[in-house]
Amino acid sequence: MLDFCQRLLGGAIRHYDYTWMRAVVPGRGTAPHGDVVFMGRGTHNVYTAWVPLGDADFTLGGLMVLEGSHRRGQIVDDYAPRDVDTYCQNTDGEDDLSRFNGTLSRDPVRLREEFGGRWLTTEFRAGDLLTFSIYLVHASLDNRSDRIRLSSDSRYQLASEPVDDRWIGEAPVAYGPDAKRGLIC
């Protein structure tokens, strides 16, 4: 994986110390989002590597990506500068920044109609790799089975570029209360 990412990015790479292990229970899938709003405090030249830890057919609900969304102005110019851990410190907590959770929509069909492109997916096999830019809008299909879907997400970037400090170190804070950053709005 490290060799692949080094070739993909064209230089020495850094792996985020935080690796996401996902256990998706039966029910609704993950809402459409881009990773940039969760890890954009460093370089935006970050790639996600999603790996299913077992076969994931359409019923179990694998990942889907919105074709071409990483090149859309609404994502690059409007969505990407946002940060789920930023809030207005001079308001009562009811501002738009405080309510932002990274989700673009709970309705993938409506989002596709707005952005264009197609939702792309497949039935995944254990050990498959799907890698993409942190700008790419993605989601997961609903888990309509009686099983738990397991997968992992790892992040890679050039070692020479600034890193989002929420995801590195002995015990990364990730996103959430310990990663909050107040702004005067």
Side-chain angles (χ1 to χ4, degrees), residues 53-70:
L53 302 178
D55 294 348
D57 62 17
F58 293 128
T59 304
L60 192 58
L63 215 62
M64 60 183 187
V65 300
L66 188 55
E67 178 182 43
S69 57
H70 61 294

Side-chain angles (χ1 to χ4, degrees), residues 144-164:
R144 296 176 289 116
S145 76
D146 60 355
R147 299 172 291 144
I148 297 173
R149 178 178 53 80
L150 301 174
S151 63
S152 72
D153 302 353
S154 299
R155 303 307 190 294
Y156 300 88
Q157 69 171 67
L158 287 170
S160 61
E161 295 185 357
V163 66
D164 187 326

Side-chain angles (χ1 to χ4, degrees), residues 98-118:
S98 296
R99 289 189 296 270
F100 180 60
N101 68 2
T103 299
L104 282 160
S105 172
R106 286 299 306 169
D107 186 347
V109 173
R110 186 201 58 74
L111 190 67
R112 180 192 50 78
E113 290 169 351
E114 178 184 338
F115 283 8
R118 301 170 291 170

Side-chain angles (χ1 to χ4, degrees), residues 25 140 171:
V25 299
S140 70

Side-chain angles (χ1 to χ4, degrees), residues 12-28:
I13 57 112
R14 174 185 187 96
H15 172 267
Y16 283 20
D17 296 325
Y18 190 101
T19 297
W20 292 254
M21 302 305 291
R22 308 237 187 238
V24 179
V25 299
R28 293 204 43 125

Side-chain angles (χ1 to χ4, degrees), residues 6-115:
Q6 191 162 314
R7 286 192 312 272
L8 176 69
L9 295 171
I13 57 112
R14 174 185 187 96
H15 172 267
Y16 283 20
D17 296 325
Y18 190 101
T19 297
W20 292 254
M21 302 305 291
R22 308 237 187 238
V24 179
V25 299
R28 293 204 43 125
T30 306
H33 66 281
D35 292 338
V36 66
V37 299
F38 297 97
M39 55 199 62
R41 291 183 183 171
T43 182
H44 285 189
N45 190 26
V46 176
Y47 286 82
T48 296
W50 181 83
V51 177
L53 302 178
D55 294 348
D57 62 17
F58 293 128
T59 304
L60 192 58
L63 215 62
M64 60 183 187
V65 300
L66 188 55
E67 178 182 43
S69 57
H70 61 294
R71 293 187 298 260
R72 303 244 349 134
Q74 295 105 310
I75 299 301
V76 176
D77 299 330
D78 301 333
Y79 178 73
R82 300 183 76 185
D83 183 321
V84 297
D85 289 321
T86 301
Y87 66 96
C88 293
Q89 64 186 34
N90 58 319
T91 66
D92 61 6
E94 293 302 316
D95 56 84
D96 286 342
L97 290 176
S98 296
R99 289 189 296 270
F100 180 60
N101 68 2
T103 299
L104 282 160
S105 172
R106 286 299 306 169
D107 186 347
V109 173
R110 186 201 58 74
L111 190 67
R112 180 192 50 78
E113 290 169 351
E114 178 184 338
F115 283 8

